[in-house]
Amino acid sequence: MTARTTATTPSKAGTTAPEAGATAPEAGTTAPEAAATGKDAILLAARRAFTQRPYAEVTIRGIAADAGVSASLVVKHFGRKEELFNTVADFGPAAEELFDAPLDALGRHMVLTLVRRRREQKGDPLLRVVFSLGNHDERSLLRDRFHEQVTARLTARLPGRERALRAELIAGHLIGLGATLSLHREGAGSHATPEHLADLYAPALQSLVVR
């Protein structure tokens, strides 16, 4: 399977029927804000589901329950299970944010962006690829998408020799940072500012950006 393959998940795994009605906005919350919050919760729940369980075991109803919304709201925002999976497998928007800086400031920018996104959106932009180490088609798609949209894209940006190797190592550093912050959710890193984390962590990344 290549990273350009879309909607290649097993067709025999059907989407469960949606429940009637969507969840109501919380008191004091406007409808657009509630909708945005619901969509974010659905996406986080879908990432957990697809990266931790086989595709055939994942259901729209289960994702909705984890997100605290109705199944009909999941369908409204993302369509069928197949379409929702392809959204989860898309690293393009995250890469766009992470790599949107000049080369001489890229290391620091990547750390700041990753940490801020984790805190603002309650989810890591890259860490889900760690759960793609099985042989299932959907997990292979996650790996392929990551390589094409993150590692290969970064390789094309880097100057000098051994660009592919350096891009892989940078990607590993970013995944490692996300894993560390997830492992120590209440640790020292959770209390450090993004700027302080960048002061400590970014130099290693920057040394791989420009050599």
Side-chain angles (χ1 to χ4, degrees):
M1 176 183 295
T2 64
R4 294 183 176 84
T5 302
T6 58
T8 55
T9 48
S11 59
K12 64 182 178 181
T15 302
T16 57
E19 300 171 354
T23 55
E26 296 180 1
T29 303
T30 62
E33 290 172 342
T37 301
K39 189 172 183 179
D40 291 342
I42 292 165
L43 190 54
L44 287 174
R47 286 175 174 173
R48 284 193 292 268
F50 285 123
T51 55
Q52 296 177 18
R53 298 197 298 275
Y55 179 90
E57 295 180 6
V58 177
T59 66
I60 291 291
R61 192 180 298 275
I63 290 171
D66 187 19
V69 302
S70 69
S72 62
L73 189 63
V74 178
V75 174
K76 176 183 177 181
H77 282 308
F78 295 100
R80 300 174 300 159
K81 182 173 79 167
E82 188 176 53
E83 295 164 345
L84 181 54
F85 173 78
N86 280 316
T87 300
V88 169
D90 184 9
F91 294 94
E96 185 74 28
E97 288 185 72
L98 285 168
F99 304 151
D100 186 22
L103 287 176
D104 60 359
L106 185 57
R108 184 174 184 83
H109 172 81
M110 288 188 290
V111 174
L112 290 173
T113 300
L114 185 142
V115 174
R116 288 168 178 166
R117 181 166 178 177
R118 283 180 56 90
R119 293 181 178 180
E120 292 168 1
Q121 302 185 12
K122 306 302 181 184
D124 192 278
L126 303 179
L127 192 57
R128 62 190 184 276
V129 76
V130 172
F131 297 99
S132 68
L133 303 180
N135 294 320
H136 299 291
D137 286 346
E138 67 272 13
R139 294 180 179 180
S140 296
L141 179 58
L142 273 175
R143 292 196 301 272
D144 291 343
R145 288 276 179 86
F146 187 89
H147 174 75
E148 179 180 338
Q149 297 176 337
V150 179
T151 314
R153 181 171 181 173
L154 181 56
T155 298
R157 282 215 61 194
L158 297 180
R161 303 175 59 183
E162 298 185 301
R163 294 181 301 149
L165 175 58
R166 285 155 50 210
E168 291 175 5
L169 293 174
I170 290 170
H173 273 289
L174 292 171
I175 292 171
L177 176 58
T180 298
L181 294 174
S182 293
L183 180 64
H184 304 286
R185 292 187 183 277
E186 304 299 327
S190 67
H191 304 293
T193 65
E195 290 76 16
H196 186 50
L197 289 172
D199 289 341
L200 297 173
Y201 204 81
L205 288 177
Q206 190 61 33
S207 71
L208 292 166
V209 170
V210 181
R211 291 184 63 84

